[in-house]
Amino acid sequence: MGPGPINAYPRVLQAMSNQLIGQYDPVMTGYMQQVQQLYRGVFNTSNEATLLIDGTARAGIEAVLVSALKPGDKVLIPVIGRFGHLLCEIAYRVGAEIRTIEVEWGEVCDPALIEKEIKAFQPKMLATVQGDTSTTMNQPLAEIGEICSRYGVLFYCDATASVGGNALKVDEWYLDAVSVGLQKCLGGPSGSAPITLSDGFVNEISKRRHIELGLRTEQHSAGSEPMIRSNYFDLPMILDYWGEERLNHHTEATTMLYAARECARLFLEEGENAVLDRHEVAGQAMAQGLETMGLKLFGNQKYKMNNVVGVYIPQHIDGEAIRSELLNLFGIEIGTSFGPLHGKIWRIGTMGYNARQEAVLSTLAALEAVLVKHKAAINTGVGVQAAMTCYAAHFQAQSVLAK
Amino acid sequence: MGPGPINAYPRVLQAMSNQLIGQYDPVMTGYMQQVQQLYRGVFNTSNEATLLIDGTARAGIEAVLVSALKPGDKVLIPVIGRFGHLLCEIAYRVGAEIRTIEVEWGEVCDPALIEKEIKAFQPKMLATVQGDTSTTMNQPLAEIGEICSRYGVLFYCDATASVGGNALKVDEWYLDAVSVGLQKCLGGPSGSAPITLSDGFVNEISKRRHIELGLRTEQHSAGSEPMIRSNYFDLPMILDYWGEERLNHHTEATTMLYAARECARLFLEEGENAVLDRHEVAGQAMAQGLETMGLKLFGNQKYKMNNVVGVYIPQHIDGEAIRSELLNLFGIEIGTSFGPLHGKIWRIGTMGYNARQEAVLSTLAALEAVLVKHKAAINTGVGVQAAMTCYAAHFQAQSVLAK
């Protein structure tokens, strides 16, 4: 029950024990096409360029940034938490010129501020995080997308922590590039990074297209702009590998592709609305349970992600001792925190397979028991009840809707 | 039965269906330590810095090159096949100054030539491939290691295709950095790249050590040299993540770690000598079967890898039609080839789980049947027999040794 990675869905685990298939076997290339189509569903997009990067979520981030940004290109980055810093860090190494908009941790960035900075800085790209687990905030994107589209700025978003538990409408919100991971609400393991790229973004990076030495023939046309600084993260090459010609690049990570495929199938079978609802009620029940217990929540609750909540560690309580007893006595892991929040808040996740009533209720019950053991000043016997009430109201509303 | 990826060992598939564990759970960090120790065994090294890169085999290559080579640093690369070109390609993007030694496909590089070029070019690093599946050649490394050590040149080797099926003695051969993948003789999926780095190599890259923005504290000392151009492949950061402080970098790809762990356990349980023997006899039996059938082998057989053989497509035979019938009628995949060999040879693998007598014999029987169907001029009824004879001699020699 941490901020991710989390327990995987049993069907995802099962999928990963399937025997491998050769990368050019028609069954495998068929699976690759299925994965592209499935993630168009997850991302709410019709982008042809929808595929997997073989690596953890930050591999997807680096692939987007290193392919789009040449040394000297300008990028504007709102920093709402640790993962905003990560975008800066990666963009810096790519050689980009960076301007940041720093936002107090626990808040999100005002679109008006973004418009102002776009006018002043005239960036090639705006790069932002949607859900930043370090602060539990979920940055609204629709307005920012509209602004970027109006000013002709490429709009990239890292939605690793939010995808599958919070709305993400790539086409409707004018997103040009989105990268995610499986290990949060999609209920899979870390190690595969689905991405989607708009046609405009693909046009842009195609200027740097290049065919690998030893695979090049005279039919292959190269782009006019400088080569991308990474081979592994060269998106035009990766597009050629996933495309019709299936030009060899890496050897696709077969098992991780099985996992990614199963995560998306589960999401689409349950249905986007049902999955988001399930995350929303789990998040609400967890938050209300904690508050009713007398604990204080962190950050602007209006913008909290559905799938993770920050909660202040009560005074005079050793946060790490509580975490360790939860793990050792109950087998439940909750998260510590980074940077300015380190030692001040815990982060509790309700995502993917763990966005279930039983997981929420048992976590609240276990946390209460451990806090009582440590003589924390909390309200006993009411936290779990509040979460149950929250779920009951949700199920009733659902059954009314069904009639 | 292609040049990889191949079928995984059943125990590896099983390991990948295990439930995930949080990245800082003591069980998980314990597994990480086990993996380090297991791969020291696989690599025959005492290198402390032995760990996994989360990505396919070329992720391991890029991590080594981008961390060690600053723009302008000189690297000498013997090119014995396609994957030598890949090293050049990656080193070029890193900004290195490259000199290559081109070797005719089907041969290996003479150490004397390497010494001559080291004297003339004075590189910081020599980067080579051990087994290059594109040509089936296995570059001898012991002498080259001795030369590099004598001239103070960092010696890096990509041993993806050869590890686990051909001898690889990291410490004895003075290798400074080695990267591999699981999808060849180790019998696992693509998607995890074990690497090992000598203390000297670690010293060198530590000059570029850097702590991520948002994780940095005053206790952390940074290196004096320019920052590594990639965050994802920043080896000093990855070492900090695997090290005692467990400083957050990526989220370790749990399932791939399970796979890597099981691959190494299988290798060490069976025992290095037994595994190498099994690959040697499988390779011999396959080669003798093909030759006895009247087919011509590709390349200098003295230096052939144990785990893959190149065989000329008989005249007037459509190589792709044969491959496709083998796949569709027998469920057996063999490999096509790259670059100058494309359309001229097939590549047939005998590695990992497929380095078994039944796999070798069935492949030869199936290939014979399909070639006969296509009216190829081959000797019938003798190829499989030759392979059986080869195995019988091997088992007899083993039983004599056992007495």
Side-chain angles (χ1 to χ4, degrees):
Chain A
M1 304 297 284
I6 39 69
N7 297 113
Y9 288 112
R11 260 178 55 186
V12 175
L13 297 175
Q14 252 179 324
M16 291 193 289
S17 66
N18 279 317
Q19 186 50 278
L20 309 179
I21 314 173
Q23 61 179 329
Y24 296 115
D25 188 306
V27 176
M28 179 68 178
T29 52
Y31 275 12
M32 290 172 79
Q33 283 169 340
Q34 281 176 25
V35 162
Q36 297 194 278
Q37 190 55 28
L38 288 163
Y39 277 90
R40 287 181 197 117
V42 172
F43 284 128
N44 288 301
T45 184
S46 59
N47 285 342
E48 176 64 27
T50 302
L51 43 79
L52 308 178
I53 300 298
D54 285 3
T56 71
R58 73 169 66 192
I61 301 173
E62 190 157 320
V64 167
L65 296 183
V66 77
S67 296
L69 300 173
K70 293 184 299 295
D73 280 347
K74 290 195 223 172
V75 57
L76 179 64
I77 305 178
V79 176
I80 66 167
R82 185 202 156 194
F83 293 95
H85 285 304
L86 179 62
L87 298 185
C88 295
E89 165 107 17
I90 296 174
Y92 176 77
R93 295 187 188 219
V94 160
E97 186 185 338
I98 300 159
R99 182 179 292 197
T100 60
I101 305 175
E102 302 273 345
V103 176
E104 192 190 340
W105 283 34
E107 295 291 339
V108 296
C109 189
D110 180 2
L113 195 56
I114 287 176
E115 181 162 9
K116 192 178 143 236
E117 293 292 325
I118 284 180
K119 277 193 207 163
F121 185 53
Q122 304 203 309
K124 176 179 185 178
M125 176 190 272
L126 178 88
T128 188
V129 170
Q130 183 182 29
D132 197 313
T133 50
S134 69
T135 69
T136 76
M137 292 297 106
N138 196 46
Q139 174 69 49
L141 300 175
E143 267 188 80
I144 303 177
E146 187 276 321
I147 294 167
C148 286
S149 138
R150 196 143 39 81
Y151 288 89
V153 172
L154 290 174
F155 183 21
Y156 161 62
C157 178
D158 166 22
T160 301
S162 45
V163 66
N166 309 268
L168 176 61
K169 301 188 179 299
V170 169
D171 288 358
E172 197 180 317
W173 296 347
Y174 299 103
L175 282 152
D176 287 298
V178 176
S179 68
V180 302
L182 308 180
Q183 75 273 20
K184 309 278 180 176
C185 304
L186 292 175
S190 167
S192 177
I195 64 168
T196 187
L197 312 171
S198 72
D199 292 349
F201 187 93
V202 171
N203 273 342
E204 190 55 39
I205 59 173
S206 295
K207 296 177 189 158
R208 303 174 79 187
R209 185 166 181 261
H210 166 84
I211 311 286
E212 204 166 285
L213 223 66
L215 294 180
R216 212 172 297 158
T217 71
E218 284 175 6
Q219 298 142 32
H220 294 119
S221 65
S224 55
E225 296 203 351
M227 206 188 282
I228 290 161
R229 274 188 178 183
S230 165
N231 170 287
Y232 195 72
F233 294 131
D234 184 313
L235 285 178
M237 272 186 171
I238 295 171
L239 286 168
D240 284 339
Y241 176 67
W242 282 78
E244 248 175 64
E245 207 183 344
R246 300 223 170 262
L247 217 52
N248 192 253
H249 183 253
H250 61 284
T251 297
E252 185 59 17
T254 319
T255 303
M256 291 307 306
L257 179 128
Y258 294 163
R261 176 170 173 269
E262 203 61 25
C263 287
R265 276 157 50 105
L266 283 163
F267 179 86
L268 296 172
E269 278 175 25
E270 185 177 350
E272 181 176 13
N273 290 341
V275 180
L276 297 189
D277 273 2
R278 179 161 60 79
H279 279 87
E280 192 179 352
V281 65
Q284 280 172 354
M286 181 64 84
Q288 288 188 19
L290 294 167
E291 273 200 309
T292 309
M293 220 185 270
L295 300 173
K296 196 183 155 208
L297 305 184
F298 170 79
N300 186 341
Q301 296 301 300
K302 189 178 161 196
Y303 296 110
K304 193 183 79 61
M305 294 159 75
N306 287 326
N307 50 307
V308 61
V309 61
V311 55
Y312 283 96
I313 300 165
Q315 281 202 313
H316 314 303
I317 292 292
D318 176 353
E320 287 307 291
I322 303 291
R323 290 210 318 127
S324 138
E325 290 195 13
L326 268 177
L327 184 63
N328 294 321
L329 300 178
F330 292 89
I332 295 174
E333 184 186 356
I334 66 170
T336 175
S337 43
F338 294 113
L341 297 175
H342 190 67
K344 293 190 187 149
I345 69 166
W346 295 303
R347 295 173 304 148
I348 305 181
T350 46
M351 52 186 109
Y353 185 55
N354 294 346
R356 282 173 302 132
Q357 184 170 210
E358 65 186 88
V360 172
L361 300 184
S362 332
T363 302
L364 286 166
L367 180 63
E368 175 172 325
V370 176
L371 284 171
V372 167
K373 180 162 176 271
H374 282 256
K375 305 198 194 312
I378 57 162
N379 310 319
T380 57
V382 292
V384 178
Q385 299 301 317
M388 283 198 270
T389 305
C390 190
Y391 263 105
H394 171 77
F395 290 134
Q396 202 179 357
Q398 274 193 329
S399 82
V400 169
L401 273 177
K403 283 172 199 161
Chain B
M1 305 297 284
I6 41 66
N7 297 111
Y9 288 113
R11 260 178 56 186
V12 174
L13 297 175
Q14 251 179 326
M16 291 192 288
S17 66
N18 280 317
Q19 186 50 277
L20 308 179
I21 314 173
Q23 62 180 328
Y24 296 115
D25 188 307
V27 177
M28 180 67 179
T29 51
Y31 275 11
M32 289 172 80
Q33 283 169 340
Q34 282 176 24
V35 162
Q36 297 194 278
Q37 190 55 28
L38 288 163
Y39 278 90
R40 288 183 196 114
V42 172
F43 284 128
N44 289 301
T45 183
S46 59
N47 285 342
E48 176 62 28
T50 303
L51 43 79
L52 308 177
I53 301 299
D54 285 5
T56 71
R58 73 170 65 193
I61 300 174
E62 190 157 321
V64 168
L65 296 183
V66 77
S67 295
L69 299 173
K70 293 186 299 295
D73 279 347
K74 289 195 222 173
V75 57
L76 179 63
I77 304 178
V79 176
I80 66 167
R82 185 200 155 193
F83 292 95
H85 285 305
L86 178 62
L87 298 185
C88 295
E89 165 106 18
I90 297 173
Y92 176 76
R93 295 185 189 220
V94 159
E97 187 186 336
I98 301 159
R99 183 180 290 197
T100 60
I101 305 176
E102 302 273 346
V103 175
E104 191 189 340
W105 282 34
E107 296 291 339
V108 296
C109 190
D110 180 2
L113 195 56
I114 287 177
E115 182 164 8
K116 190 177 145 236
E117 292 293 324
I118 284 180
K119 279 193 206 163
F121 185 52
Q122 304 203 307
K124 176 178 185 178
M125 175 189 271
L126 177 89
T128 189
V129 170
Q130 184 182 27
D132 197 314
T133 49
S134 69
T135 69
T136 75
M137 293 297 107
N138 195 47
Q139 174 70 50
L141 300 174
E143 267 188 80
I144 303 177
E146 187 276 322
I147 294 167
C148 286
S149 140
R150 196 144 36 82
Y151 288 88
V153 172
L154 290 175
F155 183 22
Y156 160 62
C157 177
D158 165 23
T160 301
S162 45
V163 66
N166 307 269
L168 177 60
K169 299 184 181 301
V170 168
D171 288 358
E172 196 179 318
W173 296 348
Y174 299 102
L175 281 152
D176 287 297
V178 176
S179 69
V180 302
L182 308 180
Q183 76 272 20
K184 308 278 181 176
C185 304
L186 293 174
S190 167
S192 178
I195 63 167
T196 188
L197 312 171
S198 71
D199 293 349
F201 188 92
V202 171
N203 274 342
E204 190 55 38
I205 60 173
S206 295
K207 296 177 189 159
R208 304 174 78 186
R209 186 166 181 260
H210 167 86
I211 311 286
E212 203 166 285
L213 223 65
L215 295 179
R216 213 172 296 158
T217 71
E218 284 174 7
Q219 298 142 34
H220 293 119
S221 65
S224 55
E225 296 203 350
M227 203 187 284
I228 290 162
R229 274 189 178 182
S230 166
N231 171 287
Y232 195 71
F233 294 131
D234 184 312
L235 286 177
M237 274 188 171
I238 295 170
L239 286 169
D240 283 339
Y241 176 67
W242 282 77
E244 249 175 61
E245 208 183 345
R246 300 224 171 262
L247 218 54
N248 192 254
H249 183 254
H250 61 285
T251 297
E252 185 58 19
T254 319
T255 303
M256 291 307 305
L257 179 127
Y258 294 163
R261 176 171 173 268
E262 203 61 25
C263 288
R265 277 157 49 104
L266 282 163
F267 179 85
L268 297 171
E269 278 175 25
E270 186 177 350
E272 182 177 11
N273 290 340
V275 180
L276 298 190
D277 273 1
R278 180 161 59 78
H279 280 86
E280 192 180 353
V281 64
Q284 279 171 355
M286 181 65 83
Q288 289 187 20
L290 294 168
E291 273 200 309
T292 310
M293 220 185 270
L295 299 173
K296 194 181 155 210
L297 305 185
F298 170 78
N300 187 340
Q301 296 301 301
K302 188 178 161 197
Y303 296 110
K304 192 182 79 64
M305 295 159 75
N306 288 326
N307 51 307
V308 60
V309 60
V311 55
Y312 282 96
I313 300 166
Q315 279 203 315
H316 314 303
I317 292 292
D318 176 352
E320 287 308 292
I322 303 291
R323 289 209 320 126
S324 136
E325 290 195 13
L326 269 177
L327 184 63
N328 294 322
L329 301 179
F330 292 89
I332 296 174
E333 184 185 356
I334 66 169
T336 174
S337 44
F338 294 114
L341 296 175
H342 189 68
K344 292 189 187 148
I345 69 165
W346 294 304
R347 295 173 304 147
I348 305 180
T350 46
M351 52 186 109
Y353 185 56
N354 294 345
R356 283 174 300 132
Q357 185 170 209
E358 65 186 86
V360 172
L361 300 185
S362 332
T363 302
L364 286 167
L367 180 62
E368 175 173 324
V370 177
L371 284 171
V372 167
K373 181 162 175 272
H374 282 257
K375 306 196 195 314
I378 56 161
N379 310 319
T380 57
V382 291
V384 178
Q385 299 302 317
M388 283 197 270
T389 306
C390 189
Y391 263 105
H394 171 77
F395 290 133
Q396 202 178 0
Q398 272 192 330
S399 83
V400 170
L401 272 176
K403 284 174 200 163

